[in-house]
Amino acid sequence: MAKLTSDALDIIRQYAALLETVEEGLDYVEASFSDPRRMHADVLLADLLLALGKIGETNVYLNP
């Protein structure tokens, strides 16, 4: 098994936190379809799509 540097481990932790945040955002957007009180889901969805693009770009570096 490969040893990770503290910097690499920190990046992986941040990456995992970003994935969790995106998941929470997607849950919010999904719920907004049935609850009109949830505001700005369209803006959030646009931000999530940008984040998913960045995640895709980052996967190139994290997947050897």
Side-chain angles (χ1 to χ4, degrees), residues 45-63:
L45 181 57
D47 290 343
L48 289 170
L49 293 174
L50 287 173
L52 289 172
K54 294 298 181 185
I55 288 169
E57 291 174 17
T58 305
N59 281 341
V60 173
Y61 300 105
L62 295 178
N63 190 9

Side-chain angles (χ1 to χ4, degrees), residues 3-4 9-12 16 19-20 28-29 36 42-43 51 58:
K3 281 192 161 186
L4 295 175
L9 189 55
D10 187 44
I11 289 170
I12 292 170
L19 293 176
E20 288 180 28
Y28 182 92
V29 169
D42 54 340
V43 174
T58 305

